């Protein structure tokens, strides 16, 4: 079907990088809100990544990845243009329901800026007035601002240090948007769980329907392992097949955050061992400008 | 044969299976049952009475001609035995290991009426293993018929269906969502019961039949079943996706860290090889004191895997009694030998956690058996005031699975109340040309039942495509295959079937 060749790469910061992978069938099938599972090499782990973009004409999908653990760091090092991934499966999950709201708020924080882009574009295509709120640590690590400007009617940039846009978290940008547009009827927020939790609290008093995209620990991504179960209201759902989008006002974020930490000791051990082996073997190719 | 065998003349004792020592094997992933030696197999073959009515054949979901293959073993014509088995069963090395023979062929064995039944499963495995060692492959002559068949899921149902359709001359493509084919045989059943190498050999045989495997393909999401038929040129499709979707009980504490499904534990350990961490990247946090809820085969696998991952104490918690446990007797016996502690008639009430949201123990209550329920087993009833707590740091749920929702979400398939695919007696679904079988139709069952369903569906698919059901004829020796056609047919994946 595809040999998962990497045909494009861009680095946005020392930890954030973008991969464009050729997979024509997936590029055609993918819809906003879906995710893929990637295995970099035969001994690798399966990691879920939300689709940041897909281009049915070029036959490629785009992933934006943050190098935080062993696998993502290793990918940062090894995934150069012309190399291939060992496995890539998707698109997975129920696509976002893009209805026809009149005015919609699309919020992305940090890495979450990438996966909220397809949603913003889909809303724009459905004729909605789209307000994009994107948040970064500082100006240096910003990416995709121009992509958002191209599909959104308004873009509010927030940075922690005020080096670009307004100074503050995305919640500040949301409040600003809500003040200017009392008629916003839908919101979607993607980012770290703590950010999504805060976003849910911003829209809750306004009774605005708010969706979040959850990315818990998964193995297969097809509903088989149950590792990605999340508490939604009183029930348990599997993010991989019942999600990944859920109503932000019913998600138990504390439960999600606790469960995300469940393999942390092993993950840290793996990262430490890997870093040691990198030092032992000398700096791997391409690592100088990345670390 | 010179003299007719009778129940008095055959060896009275069933030939024991050589096994690894329980305490040693509980710490390694090598196979527990080492397999019959030649002498073992010949002795056990002597025990078959060759009953003319052969109740064992009727007891077998795929109707292997059991007396015939045992006869061949007794005649020391091992390849002949392999021929007999592969007429109906593609995977003797797999089925000989994981079939619940005590409820099937061996359960109805005539010898079993007065002695222990003939060890049919062990003999089947003996033949299967010998075929792997010797590199025997029975490649039938296949005449291509121009039909293209898609199989969704590469587990036992899909593999069995793929084999039959390929033998009938169809072009067969098997789609698998994981990065490796094999389904539950790979991710679920651990190596000490069914080595992955055995499965790889069997998959290789399918490839030699011309079957193409497409991994990393999530049917329903990458393309739909409707697209397979309307755009991708498939004339018929078989759905064998399995049940998946593990159940939890809904008791407090289930989202604590350290609570996981048996599927997750087994997949991490078996398919992702987390047991070889850090050589493999997938993380796992094996508990020191592990409680597994449930007493089916999956529960036994989870218990025994936990032991091998270094757990000091492993508890099996089951709300009914030992007699009601759904696991194979042999599995329960093996688990007990290895040091698993069984807590029968015990039902979990709550998983207890600490401040870090990690499991620290479990609260259970004792049960007693009341009136039989719908399944015919006596219903467990709580004993008032019997609650107690015990310490553990990991809780594994092995209480069954629900239907996987992906195909139902993405195709206009008729599902039953429980979300499984509805089929008619021929395993046809509500979409013309689309058939389904295995756990996605029946709910969780056994490997051989899934294979049986795959074969039944294949028969129905052949009928639907207008193909006559044929008997397979093998080439006596591989090199002659080519000569008969004037070119190396075997090198081109061609073979022919003959209509009886």
């Amino acid at each position: 079907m595809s040999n998962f060749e990497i045909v494009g790469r861009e680095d946005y910061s020392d930890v954030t990088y973008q991969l464009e992978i050729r997979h024509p069938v997936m590029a055609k099938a993918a819809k906003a809100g879906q995710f893929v599972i990637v295995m970099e090499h035969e001994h690798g782990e399966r990691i879920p990544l939300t689709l940041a973009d897909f281009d049915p004409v070029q036959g490629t999908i785009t992933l934006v990845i943050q190098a935080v653990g062993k696998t993502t760091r290793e990918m940062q090092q090894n995934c150069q243009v012309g190399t291939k991934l060992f496995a890539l499966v998707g698109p997975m999950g129920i696509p976002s329901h893009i209805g026809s709201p009149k005015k919609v708020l699309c919020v992305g924080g940090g890495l979450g800026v990438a996966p909220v882009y397809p949603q913003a574009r889909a809303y724009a295509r459905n004729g909605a007035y789209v307000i994009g709120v994107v948040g970064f640590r500082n100006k240096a690590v910003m990416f995709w601002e121009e992509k958002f400007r191209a599909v959104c009617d308004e873009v509010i940039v927030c940075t922690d240090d005020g080096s670009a846009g307004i100074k503050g978290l995305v919640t500040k940008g949301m409040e600003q948007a809500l003040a200017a547009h009392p008629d916003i009827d839908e919101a979607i927020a993607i980012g770290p769980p703590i950010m999504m939790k805060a976003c849910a609290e911003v829209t809750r008093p306004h009774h605005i329907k708010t969706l979040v995209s959850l990315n818990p620990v998964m193995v297969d991504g097809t509903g088989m392992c149950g590792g990605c179960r999340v508490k939604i209201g009183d029930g348990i759902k599997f993010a991989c097949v019942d999600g990944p989008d859920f109503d932000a006002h019913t998600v138990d974020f504390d439960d999600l955050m606790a469960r995300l930490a469940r393999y942390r000791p092993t993950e840290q051990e793996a990262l430490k061992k890997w870093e040691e082996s990198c030092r032992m073997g000398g700096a791997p190719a391409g690592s100088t400008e990345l670390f | 044969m010179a003299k007719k065998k009778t129940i008095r003349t055959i060896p009275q004792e069933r030939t024991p299976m050589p096994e690894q020592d329980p305490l040693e094997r509980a710490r390694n992933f090598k196979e527990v049952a080492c397999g019959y030696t030649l002498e073992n197999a010949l002795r056990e073959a002597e025990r078959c009475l060759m009953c003319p009515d052969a109740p064992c054949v009727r007891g077998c979901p795929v109707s292997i001609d059991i007396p015939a293959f045992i006869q061949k073993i007794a005649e020391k014509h091992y390849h002949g035995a392999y021929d007999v088995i592969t007429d109906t069963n593609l995977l003797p090395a797999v089925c000989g290991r994981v079939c619940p023979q005590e409820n099937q062929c061996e359960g109805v064995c005539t010898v079993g009426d007065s002695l222990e039944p003939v060890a049919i499963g062990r003999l089947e495995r003996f033949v299967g293993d010998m075929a792997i060692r010797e590199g025997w492959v029975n490649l039938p002559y296949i005449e291509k018929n121009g039909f293209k068949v898609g199989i969704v899921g590469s587990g036992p149902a899909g593999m069995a269906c793929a084999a039959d359709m390929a033998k009938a001359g169809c072009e067969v493509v098997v789609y698998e969502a994981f990065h490796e084919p094999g389904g539950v045989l790979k991710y679920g059943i651990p190596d000490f019961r069914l080595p992955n190498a055995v499965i790889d050999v069997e998959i290789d045989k399918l490839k030699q039949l011309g079957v193409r495997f497409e991994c990393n393909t999530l049917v329903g999401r990458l393309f739909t079943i409707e697209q397979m038929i309307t755009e991708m040129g498939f004339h018929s499709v078989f759905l064998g996706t399995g049940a998946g979707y593990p159940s939890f009980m809904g008791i407090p504490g289930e989202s604590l860290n350290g609570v996981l499904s048996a599927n997750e534990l087994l997949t991490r350990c078996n398919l992702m090889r987390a047991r070889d961490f850090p050589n493999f990247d997938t993380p796992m946090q094996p508990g020191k004191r592990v409680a597994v809820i449930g007493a089916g085969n999956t529960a036994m696998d989870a218990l025994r895997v936990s032991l091998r991952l270094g757990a000091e104490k492993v508890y099996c918690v089951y709300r009914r009694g030992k007699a009601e446990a759904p696991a194979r007797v042999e599995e329960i016996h093996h688990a007990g030998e290895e040091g698993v502690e069984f807590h029968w008639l015990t039902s979990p009430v709550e998983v207890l956690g600490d401040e870090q949201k990690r499991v620290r123990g479990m609260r259970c209550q004792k049960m007693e058996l009341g009136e039989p329920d719908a399944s015919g087993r006596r219903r467990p009833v709580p004993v008032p005031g019997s609650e107690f707590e015990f310490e553990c740091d990991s809780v594994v749920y092995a209480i069954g699975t629900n239907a996987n929702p992906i195909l139902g979400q993405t195709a206009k398939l008729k599902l039953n109340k429980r979300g499984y695919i509805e089929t008619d007696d021929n395993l046809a679904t509500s979409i013309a040309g689309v058939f389904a079988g295995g756990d996605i139709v029946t709910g969780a069952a056994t490997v051989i039942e899934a294979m049986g369903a795959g074969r039944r569906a294949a028969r129905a698919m052949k009928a639907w495509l207008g193909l006559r059901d044929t008997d397979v004829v093998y080439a006596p020796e591989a090199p002659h295959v080519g000569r008969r056609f004037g070119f190396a047919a075997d090198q081109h994946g061609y073979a022919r079937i003959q209509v009886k």
Side-chain angles (χ1 to χ4, degrees), chain A residues 137-140 142 159-167:
Chain A
R137 232 173 35 243
N138 55 50
K139 192 169 190 232
M142 266 176 64
T159 51
D160 293 1
D161 61 357
S163 52
I166 57 173
K167 183 175 176 198

Side-chain angles (χ1 to χ4, degrees), chain A residues 58-205:
Chain A
Q58 298 288 322
T60 59
I61 61 142
T62 304
L63 304 172
V64 179
I65 307 165
Q66 198 160 22
V68 282
K70 192 234 168 186
T71 300
T72 43
R73 290 234 198 156
E74 203 174 24
M75 283 176 69
Q76 187 185 31
Q77 222 172 70
N78 299 341
C79 293
Q80 304 296 338
V81 173
T83 61
K84 295 177 180 73
L85 294 172
F86 172 70
L88 169 69
V89 56
M92 295 169 138
I94 302 176
S96 298
H97 175 72
I98 308 289
S100 30
K102 285 185 212 66
K103 214 170 246 189
V104 62
L105 193 55
C106 292
V107 187
L111 198 68
V113 168
V116 87
Y117 169 75
Q119 333 250 7
R121 183 177 55 188
Y123 277 118
R125 283 181 185 162
N126 269 15
Y129 184 91
V130 182
I131 306 157
V133 179
V134 292
F136 298 95
R137 232 173 35 243
N138 55 50
K139 192 169 190 232
V141 299
M142 266 176 64
F143 62 91
W144 283 23
E145 193 196 344
E146 61 303 336
K147 276 183 98 158
F148 274 84
R149 296 225 180 265
V151 297
C152 296
D153 297 277
E154 260 178 62
V155 177
I156 302 171
V157 177
C158 313
T159 51
D160 293 1
D161 61 357
S163 52
I166 57 173
K167 183 175 176 198
L169 303 171
V170 285
T171 44
K172 200 170 165 192
M174 286 173 76
E175 271 153 10
Q176 190 181 313
L178 286 167
H181 302 277
D183 55 341
I184 288 173
D185 45 10
E186 218 170 289
I188 179 147
I190 307 181
I194 189 85
M195 179 211 106
M196 293 193 281
K197 184 183 178 185
C199 293
E201 292 319 312
V202 173
T203 57
R204 200 190 296 268

Side-chain angles (χ1 to χ4, degrees), chain A residues 29 41 43 45-46 70 87 90-91 93 217 220 222-225 227 229 238 241-242 255 258 262-263 265-266, chain B residues 178-179 187 214 216 221-222 245-246 248 254-255 257 259 261 263-264 267-268 277 279-281 283 285 404 409:
Chain A
H41 55 78
H43 289 199
E45 60 177 328
R46 294 168 66 89
K70 192 234 168 186
V217 175
D220 60 303
T222 60
M224 201 269 303
C225 80
R229 59 190 192 277
F238 290 3
V241 289
D242 301 321
D255 184 68
R262 108 191 118 103
Y263 290 107
T266 337
Chain B
F178 265 127
H179 50 282
Y187 74 73
E214 291 271 6
N216 297 304
R221 294 283 174 211
L222 190 60
Y245 214 91
F248 291 86
E254 279 179 354
S255 58
N257 287 341
V259 179
S261 72
N263 270 2
E264 180 173 358
T267 306
R268 283 182 185 269
F277 182 86
N279 291 329
F280 285 73
D281 292 342
Q285 254 150 9
N404 191 302
Q409 285 167 351

Side-chain angles (χ1 to χ4, degrees), chain B residues 4-13 46-49 51 109-118:
Chain B
K4 191 168 163 38
K5 283 191 281 189
T6 70
I7 195 86
R8 287 173 194 283
T9 62
I10 60 169
Q12 301 290 294
E13 301 288 321
E46 277 307 307
R47 297 185 71 234
C48 177
L49 294 174
C51 320
C109 172
T110 315
V111 176
D113 292 345
S114 35
L115 304 170
E116 271 198 288
V118 178

Side-chain angles (χ1 to χ4, degrees), chain B residues 219-474:
Chain B
V219 175
R221 294 283 174 211
L222 190 60
F223 45 79
T224 61
I225 298 161
E226 282 92 344
Q227 275 177 301
M228 287 176 77
I229 292 167
T230 55
E231 295 170 24
M232 296 167 71
F234 287 102
H235 298 97
S236 185
V237 173
F238 173 73
L239 310 175
T241 54
Y245 214 91
S247 304
F248 291 86
M249 291 174 72
I251 59 174
E254 279 179 354
S255 58
L256 290 166
N257 287 341
V259 179
L260 70 169
S261 72
N263 270 2
E264 180 173 358
L265 174 77
L266 293 171
T267 306
R268 283 182 185 269
C269 177
N270 300 336
L271 178 78
M272 304 311 295
R273 303 270 303 272
R275 63 171 191 262
D276 295 332
F277 182 86
N279 291 329
F280 285 73
D281 292 342
T282 301
M284 192 161 55
Q285 254 150 9
K288 287 282 159 229
R289 297 166 88 89
V290 183
V292 175
I293 306 171
N297 289 319
T298 308
M300 296 306 131
D301 286 347
L303 287 159
R304 297 169 73 193
V305 157
S306 298
L307 272 176
R308 282 158 177 79
L309 292 170
E312 284 149 16
K313 284 275 178 194
V314 177
Y315 312 103
C316 173
V317 177
Y318 184 52
R319 62 198 180 116
R320 301 181 203 247
K322 186 175 182 179
E324 288 80 24
R328 294 184 64 189
V329 177
E330 191 185 313
E331 299 301 326
I332 297 177
H333 171 72
H334 276 149
E337 272 185 346
E338 290 171 11
V340 169
E341 276 179 39
F342 290 96
H343 295 270
W344 307 112
L345 293 167
T346 305
S347 184
V349 181
E350 183 183 354
V351 184
L352 307 167
D354 59 17
E355 284 97 53
Q356 277 100 51
K357 294 206 172 191
R358 282 210 55 87
V359 173
R360 66 170 173 86
M362 201 156 63
R363 182 180 300 133
C364 293
Q365 61 185 356
K366 298 300 280 180
M367 310 294 272
E368 57 192 7
L369 292 176
E371 294 300 306
D373 63 10
S375 72
R377 296 178 296 178
R378 294 176 64 194
R379 186 194 302 275
V381 190
V383 178
S386 64
E387 288 198 9
F388 66 101
E389 289 181 9
F390 68 92
E391 264 180 53
C392 61
D393 55 7
S394 186
V395 173
V396 181
Y397 276 74
I399 54 169
T401 51
N402 295 315
N404 191 302
I406 295 178
L407 288 178
Q409 285 167 351
T410 56
K412 291 189 186 75
L413 273 172
K414 197 167 169 208
L415 307 177
N416 68 17
K417 277 203 300 286
R418 295 161 61 217
Y420 295 103
I421 297 176
E422 203 158 283
T423 62
D424 66 9
D425 293 344
N426 287 322
L427 297 176
T429 69
S430 57
I431 303 178
V434 179
F435 297 75
D439 285 6
I440 192 62
V441 173
T442 57
T446 62
V447 168
I448 191 72
E449 282 169 292
M451 291 183 56
R455 303 203 67 215
R456 259 174 64 213
R459 262 197 301 283
M461 286 162 86
K462 283 185 257 184
W464 196 80
L465 294 170
L467 299 168
R468 266 183 293 181
D469 213 359
T470 54
D471 282 320
V472 175
V473 175
Y474 298 112

